[in-house]
Amino acid sequence: MASEFILEVKNLKKYFQAGQPGWFSKGAKLVHAVDEIDLQLKHGEVIALVGESGCGKSTLALTLMGLEEATAGQILFDGQDITHLAEKEKKALRRKIQMVFQDPYESLNPTQTIQEIVMEPLVVHGIGANDEARKKQVKKALEDSGLKPAETYLTRFPHQLSGGQRQRVVIASALALEPQLLIADEPVSMLDVSIRAEIINLLAELQKTRNISVIFITHDLGTVGFFADRVAVMYLGRIVEIGSMQAVLKDTKHPYSQALLSVIPVPNPRLRKKRIILQGETPNPVNLPSGCRFHPRCPIAEEKCKQLDPHLFNLSAAHQAACLLLENYQ
Ligand code: SF4
């Protein structure tokens, strides 16, 4: 029986070794890139994964794709455990989970034509009876991605396209495989502001017509407000707040999420929030702060935040109201 969830992530950790153990140190230190992540995604649901660069969101995406090996925890795709698959099984899974990367300049092979680029995944996965059948699928994927008429793009090379058109080609080659889950890692951050909305509208339309589940990774919550069903805010490898887009926008609990939201440009001056500028840099994930990881930058930190993780102590009522959804802060 198919699972209610297309994706379930349970207590997922991805640590990297930071350098080699030295003469005087007991062992190599670890970068806690992804730490105790729990996440569930329903079929056809869109979740925005938001946080500053270096918070672990891209590592989480690569671990979900099987491009990084999980250190601990479990990943279920449509009920099937995909945490540690053999290469052959990973290849089969990639047909169902596709990724759109941030940089459309680097994700396309400059020596291939657009037709070759979009057709390649079909050939690799043995889809289509012959090249003629595959060409039809390529044209459909290009046209669905807004590159119309497809014939005018087939023989071109990536350098002959604009940034927006290249990202449409990347989307077309991901969609040609008809995936069930699309992970879009900052898909518009390298593009001109003028074409960002077009690409997000395209993803929103494709998600609706194909009922694909989407994980949309971004550092800018303002780009996905209308598109995502839920939002998960990440800080230093952990999800610190998660909820429906509406609930998080209206009633933001965590001080970090409040700071992220306060810098989104709002055209109506009456609806603008006071900007919260966080002090200091994101701490080094090798030497994590004691207690709450956010305490060195938190404008409402209390003394006990330095000693204990939030889920281990009872915050005062005022503190709770301003701060945490305890069940979501692990
Ligand atoms: Fe800030 Fe303390 Fe809440 Fe952490 S636990 S977010 S430091 S108030």
Side-chain angles (χ1 to χ4, degrees), residues 254-255 292-295 298-302 305 310 313 315 319 323-324 329:
H254 196 279
C292 173
R293 293 177 183 191
F294 188 55
H295 87 254
C298 180
I300 57 166
E302 294 180 0
C305 303
F313 64 93
L315 300 162
H319 193 166
C323 176
L324 297 171
Y329 200 109

Side-chain angles (χ1 to χ4, degrees), residues 55-131:
C55 72
K57 45 195 194 320
S58 293
T59 306
L60 174 60
L62 295 175
T63 312
L64 296 179
M65 286 288 296
L67 297 171
E68 291 287 357
E69 199 66 24
T71 307
Q74 200 181 27
I75 307 165
L76 302 178
F77 181 79
D78 210 6
Q80 183 205 344
D81 190 338
I82 59 161
T83 321
H84 302 287
L85 294 179
E87 271 316 307
K88 200 174 160 198
E89 295 166 317
K90 278 185 189 170
K91 185 182 157 195
L93 184 75
R94 292 219 178 96
R95 188 174 167 184
K96 297 176 187 168
I97 309 179
Q98 280 288 298
M99 195 156 174
V100 173
F101 291 95
Q102 179 176 17
D103 189 346
Y105 299 85
E106 290 213 337
S107 8
L108 300 177
N109 182 340
T111 64
Q112 286 184 313
T113 63
I114 302 308
Q115 177 174 305
E116 286 165 345
I117 289 169
V118 183
M119 196 182 280
E120 190 171 87
L122 298 175
V123 174
V124 168
H125 289 276
I127 299 168
N130 51 38
D131 271 359

